[in-house]
C-alpha cells in the first residue's frame, strides 16, 4: 500500500556498460569506483573469442574480469600480472603455435572454461564462476551464449583474404587493409535473458570507449540489441575512443578510415547516433561538438584519457551526468 511505502527505499539501480577489452575495462574500473561494483553490469563482446590448442579463449571477458579483479598485467592491458610463460616456451621448442601467447596461469582460465563448455554449461554460467574466483562483484555478461565471431576481410593480390579477429589483431598486428567486416553468428546467437533484462532495466547504458567496429559492432549485430537500444535511446550514452583522430590503443582510427567512417569523434557519433542520445568526447575534439549536435546527440567534452582510476572515475561521472542531462 502506498501509505506503507518507504520513500527512501532503494530503487534498483544498474549501469550497463557495453564493453570491448582494455579501454572498457579501465572505464568499468572508474564506474565501479563511482557507483559501486554491484551497481554495474558489463555486457561483453565475444566476437574476439578464439579456439586455439582446443581451448576456448574469451579475451574481452577475461580482460574485464582480470582488470576488475586487480590482477591484470598493467604493461599489456591483457593477461595476468606477474605471469610466467613456461608452457609457451615449451610449445615453441616443438615449433608449436605461439603467436597468441597464453601465460601459464591464464591457461588455467581457458582450461576451466573449455571443460565446463564441454560439459554443457553456458558461457554466461562459466563467466559467473570465473568472475567469482577473481572476487569481481560486478556482473559480467557475454552478449550471447551462441557463437559470434568477428571476421575481417582484406585483399591479397586478386583474392579476398579471410582473417579471424585474433589472426588480424595479433598475428598480423592489424596491418592488413580491411575491405569489410562480418559478424558471423550461429543460429542460436541471440542475446541472453540476463543481457536483455539488464538492458531493459538499466538506469543508464554506457557504450564504453572501445573500438566501435571491432568491439561494439559485434554486440550490436546480435539480433534484438539495436532495437532495444533504440527504444531506450534516452538512457544510452557513448564515450568516444578516438581522440584527435587517433585511438589511444589499437587500430580503431585506421579501420574506421578503411571502411569509410571518418576516423574522428564525429565518425564515432555518426556510428552511434541511432542508438545513443549523447556522446562524451575528448576536450581535444571540442571543436566537433556543433557538428555532433546536428546528429541530435547531446555532447560533453572532457579528459577521456584513463591513465588512473581517478581519471576513469571522473570520466564515468561526466558520462552519467550526460545521461541525466535533459531528463529532469
Ligand atoms: N594480445 C596480443 O597482442 N598478443 C597476444 O599474444 C595476446 C594474447 C592474449 C591471450 C589472452 C587474452 O585474454 C588476450 C590476449 N591478447 C593478446 C589480447 C587480445 O588479443 C586483444 O586485446 C583483444 O582481443 C582485443 O580486445
Amino acid at each position: 500500500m502506498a501509505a506503507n511505502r518507504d520513500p527512501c527505499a532503494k530503487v534498483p539501480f544498474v549501469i550497463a556498460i557495453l564493453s570491448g577489452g582494455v579501454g572498457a575495462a579501465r572505464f568499468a574500473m572508474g564506474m565501479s569506483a563511482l557507483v559501486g561494483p554491484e551497481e554495474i553490469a558489463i555486457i561483453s563482446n565475444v566476437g574476439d573469442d578464439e579456439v586455439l590448442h582446443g581451448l576456448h579463449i574469451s579475451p574481452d571477458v577475461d580482460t574485464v574480469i582480470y582488470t576488475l579483479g586487480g590482477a591484470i598485467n598493467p604493461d599489456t592491458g591483457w593477461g595476468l600480472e606477474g605471469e610466467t610463460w613456461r608452457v609457451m616456451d615449451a610449445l615453441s621448442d616443438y615449433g608449436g603455435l605461439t603467436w597468441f601467447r597464453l601465460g601459464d596461469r591464464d591457461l588455467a582460465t581457458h582450461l576451466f572454461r573449455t571443460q565446463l563448455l564441454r560439459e554443457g554449461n553456458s558461457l554466461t554460467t562459466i563467466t559467473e564462476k570465473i568472475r567469482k574466483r577473481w572476487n569481481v562483484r560486478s556482473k559480467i555478461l557475454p552478449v550471447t551464449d551462441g557463437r559470434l565471431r568477428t571476421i575481417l576481410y582484406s585483399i591479397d593480390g586478386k583474392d579476398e583474404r579471410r582473417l579471424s579477429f585474433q589472426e588480424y589483431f595479433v598475428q598480423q598486428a592489424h596491418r592488413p587493409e580491411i575491405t569489410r567486416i562480418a559478424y558471423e553468428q550461429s543460429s542460436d546467437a541471440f542475446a541472453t535473458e540476463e543481457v536483455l533484462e539488464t538492458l531493459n532495466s538499466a538506469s543508464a547504458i554506457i557504450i564504453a570507449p572501445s573500438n566501435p567496429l571491432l568491439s561494439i559492432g559485434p554486440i550490436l549485430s546480435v539480433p534484438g540489441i539495436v532495437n532495444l537500444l533504440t527504444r531506450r535511446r534516452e538512457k544510452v550514452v557513448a564515450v568516444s575512443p578516438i581522440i584527435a583522430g587517433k585511438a589511444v590503443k589499437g587500430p580503431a582510427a585506421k579501420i574506421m578510415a578503411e571502411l569509410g567512417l571518418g576516423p574522428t569523434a564525429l565518425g564515432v557519433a555518426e556510428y552511434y547516433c541511432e542508438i545513443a542520445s549523447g556522446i562524451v568526447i575528448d576536450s581535444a575534439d571540442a571543436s566537433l561538438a556543433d557538428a555532433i549536435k546536428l546528429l541530435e546527440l547531446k555532447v560533453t567534452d572532457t579528459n577521456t584519457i584513463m591513465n588512473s582510476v581517478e581519471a576513469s572515475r571522473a570520466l564515468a561521472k561526466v558520462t552519467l551526468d550526460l545521461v541525466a542531462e535533459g531528463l529532469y
Side-chain angles (χ1 to χ4, degrees), residues 63-210:
T63 296
V64 171
I65 292 178
Y66 292 167
T67 302
L68 293 179
I72 197 78
N73 179 332
D75 300 327
T76 55
W78 54 266
L80 289 164
E81 186 171 29
E83 188 59 282
T84 54
W85 303 93
R86 298 189 60 171
V87 174
M88 283 296 113
D89 291 345
L91 194 56
S92 167
D93 293 340
Y94 282 113
L97 185 158
T98 54
W99 58 262
F100 195 77
R101 310 223 354 113
L102 299 170
D104 297 335
R105 286 204 308 148
D106 187 33
L107 267 165
T109 304
H110 315 309
L111 288 164
F112 181 73
R113 175 185 292 116
T114 306
Q115 177 65 26
L116 265 63
L117 279 171
R118 288 214 180 109
E119 289 169 8
N121 297 282
S122 70
L123 198 56
T124 300
T125 306
I126 301 164
T127 302
E128 189 70 358
K129 291 182 194 293
I130 296 174
R131 70 115 170 152
K132 283 185 178 155
R133 179 262 174 264
W134 293 100
N135 301 318
V136 171
R137 283 150 65 198
S138 309
K139 287 262 177 221
I140 315 286
L141 304 173
V143 63
T144 178
D145 283 328
R147 189 175 191 281
L148 169 63
R149 292 290 183 275
T150 302
I151 305 295
L152 297 107
Y153 290 89
S154 67
I155 298 294
D156 188 3
K158 276 190 289 167
D159 301 323
E160 191 173 53
R161 184 168 176 216
R162 181 186 192 279
L163 296 164
S164 76
F165 179 88
Q166 298 300 345
E167 284 169 339
Y168 164 75
F169 200 84
V170 176
Q171 192 181 30
Q172 303 292 322
H174 36 79
R175 276 187 299 262
E177 189 176 322
I178 296 310
T179 49
R180 65 186 177 103
I181 302 177
Y183 307 117
E184 285 186 1
Q185 32 199 277
S186 56
S187 56
D188 63 343
F190 32 75
T192 65
E193 282 294 315
E194 290 86 343
V195 164
L196 294 176
E197 208 180 289
T198 300
L199 289 177
N200 270 317
S201 61
S203 308
I205 301 170
I206 311 299
I207 303 176
S210 296

Side-chain angles (χ1 to χ4, degrees), residues 19-75:
S19 157
V22 181
R26 290 198 179 137
F27 181 79
M29 280 290 279
M31 189 61 86
S32 176
L34 181 68
V35 301
E38 266 125 23
E39 320 289 344
I40 63 176
I42 291 141
I43 296 172
S44 183
N45 172 38
V46 289
D48 302 13
D49 285 22
E50 186 81 65
V51 175
L52 292 172
H53 321 290
L55 301 177
H56 185 114
I57 304 154
S58 295
D60 283 353
V61 166
D62 292 348
T63 296
V64 171
I65 292 178
Y66 292 167
T67 302
L68 293 179
I72 197 78
N73 179 332
D75 300 327

